[in-house]
Amino acid sequence: MAAVSSRLPAFPWDRLEPFKATAAAHPDGIVDLSVGTPVDPVPELIQGALVAAADSPGYPTVWGTPELRDAISGWVETRLGAKAVGHRNVLPVVGSKELVAWLPTQLGLGAGDKVAYPRLAYPTYEVGARLCGAEPVVYDDPTELDPAGVRLLWLNSPSNPTGKVLPKEELIRIVAWARRHEILVFSDECYLELGWEAEPVSVLHEDVCGASYKGLVAVHSLSKRSNLAGYRAAFLAGDPAVLGELLEIRKHGGMMTPAPVQAATVVALGDDAHVQEQRERYAARRSALRAALEAHGFRIEHSEASLYLWATRDEPCWDTVAHLAELGILVAPGDFYGEAGRQFVRVAFTATDERVAAAVKRLGG
């Protein structure tokens, strides 16, 4: 166990604990804008589906029920602009973080293989590479990488942490390059339904993939769009050969989405009203926090999508974290996401309206 854990970086959130304690000491309590966990209620229709399926004494299947596969494939066609999506093109997973962390291992990667991901990125991409002994490689533009040895290319649009959106033309160019070099592309699109100043596009969109899913898989989650982080509801869509291999491996590993969660996912994917309602909540919080941060001397970069504002005062990120902690506001330091983020902080707008209002008031003081 020690040998495996020694491959991994220090768990970043542990470093934030002293600043969390400082923020929590504020007379009006902490405003936690660091992790980005949903705080709004799970929509009642989704809760109802979960409860209705609670009497599930048997084992669920890794591939999911036919109803779940119908719901996923239908949503992928309707929402992502994909064509001819069948059951072989989809696979439920137990939350997207589990998938990201263990994907390189499940793909059989190891020493001598490279896993590429954006220079500013969700830390679990690197963790996944290190868990299997592969080499993590960062990029600004993936097409500028030496393709030799690159077995897995992670895209992330909208980006966590920056909120940057890759335009359709960029996706077309990157997909063509990856296919020329026979590099498998996994596109993390978990924030796709949270575009604010840009319209995110999936790699599975017909214009991007040319109606062929060869070498392409998209990753989607219901954590953000439907407040289901606690349900661990996510899925993959794309290349049936890749998903078929993962299905066989995951069957042996017992990686099963619980039956009540499968039922809840079917209902969640079939309802757009709760998604729009949640978007409106986030839009209001985003607008309020952005204005307050800019008035406080911050500059916001990118942030055209996702649940975060990528903010800087052109100082070391930990100085910014400390400054905001004194105001009772906890944010994530940018270097959690790569050295290129050392002068930025990531500010989530997932807190309640009351807590966001408190942060706005403090930033105006």
Side-chain angles (χ1 to χ4, degrees):
M1 290 178 65
V4 175
S5 64
S6 67
R7 301 175 193 165
L8 306 179
F11 188 63
W13 296 98
D14 291 343
R15 298 169 57 198
L16 205 54
E17 285 301 315
F19 301 93
K20 185 174 184 178
T22 298
H26 190 279
D28 185 40
I30 188 172
V31 178
D32 192 342
L33 308 178
S34 62
V35 177
T37 189
V39 297
D40 298 303
V42 173
E44 289 185 5
L45 81 166
I46 300 176
Q47 292 188 49
L50 186 82
V51 172
D55 186 14
S56 297
Y59 291 111
T61 63
V62 172
W63 200 17
T65 62
E67 292 79 11
L68 176 60
R69 284 177 261 136
D70 281 343
I72 296 173
S73 57
W75 183 88
V76 169
E77 287 190 348
T78 301
R79 184 63 184 86
L80 303 186
K83 302 296 182 183
V85 180
H87 285 196
R88 298 285 174 185
N89 298 109
V90 300
L91 179 65
V93 294
V94 192
S96 57
K97 183 169 185 174
E98 168 264 304
L99 182 280
V100 173
W102 292 108
L103 177 65
T105 298
Q106 292 174 14
L107 291 173
L109 305 190
D113 297 323
K114 297 177 182 177
V115 175
Y117 53 88
R119 188 173 302 280
L120 280 167
Y122 183 44
T124 312
Y125 303 135
E126 177 186 358
V127 167
R130 294 192 181 280
L131 279 171
C132 73
E135 178 185 351
V137 178
V138 300
Y139 65 77
D140 295 306
D141 178 346
T143 68
E144 295 177 355
L145 290 168
D146 178 354
V150 178
R151 299 283 305 282
L152 173 61
L153 171 64
W154 278 107
L155 301 181
N156 180 209
S157 176
S159 163
N160 174 16
T162 68
K164 181 178 180 180
V165 172
L166 291 175
K168 183 189 292 184
E169 296 71 24
E170 281 293 287
L171 290 173
I172 292 170
R173 183 176 64 84
I174 293 167
V175 166
W177 176 85
R179 283 174 163 170
R180 281 199 304 273
H181 296 288
E182 299 184 331
I183 296 171
L184 177 61
V185 175
F186 265 67
S187 180
D188 181 345
E189 302 172 356
C190 289
Y191 295 91
L192 183 133
E193 296 207 270
L194 294 163
W196 310 111
E197 297 164 9
E199 184 61 38
V201 179
S202 172
V203 293
L204 302 186
H205 191 287
E206 185 179 26
D207 293 347
V208 175
C209 69
S212 168
Y213 305 126
K214 183 175 176 58
L216 301 177
V217 177
V219 182
H220 284 270
S221 167
L222 280 74
S223 293
K224 314 301 184 184
R225 72 184 292 279
S226 301
N227 298 334
L228 297 188
Y231 284 47
R232 312 313 300 135
F235 59 87
L236 309 178
D239 190 330
V242 176
L243 298 188
E245 175 69 9
L246 290 176
L247 174 60
E248 292 304 312
I249 293 165
R250 294 172 70 84
K251 286 195 295 188
H252 282 289
M255 295 177 172
M256 301 172 284
T257 302
V261 174
Q262 292 190 30
T265 300
V266 171
V267 171
L269 290 175
D271 179 74
D272 292 330
H274 78 276
V275 179
Q276 182 58 33
E277 182 179 345
Q278 191 60 44
R279 274 183 55 87
E280 291 170 2
R281 290 191 189 108
Y282 284 142
R285 293 166 187 168
R286 176 181 183 271
S287 178
L289 279 171
R290 179 165 193 154
L293 286 165
E294 289 176 335
H296 197 76
F298 282 89
R299 185 176 74 256
I300 308 298
E301 292 194 359
H302 298 304
S303 306
E304 58 258 32
S306 83
L307 289 178
Y308 313 107
L309 294 168
W310 189 236
T312 182
R313 298 204 308 172
D314 295 311
E315 66 182 5
C317 60
W318 287 98
D319 291 353
T320 307
V321 169
H323 168 72
L324 291 175
E326 292 294 336
L327 299 178
I329 301 169
L330 188 68
V331 299
D335 65 3
F336 275 11
Y337 308 95
E339 183 62 22
R342 61 188 178 276
Q343 288 196 321
F344 285 81
V345 293
R346 193 194 73 170
V347 184
F349 41 89
T350 53
T352 64
D353 291 345
E354 184 274 333
R355 288 289 83 188
V356 167
V360 169
K361 181 178 180 181
R362 297 173 196 183
L363 288 166

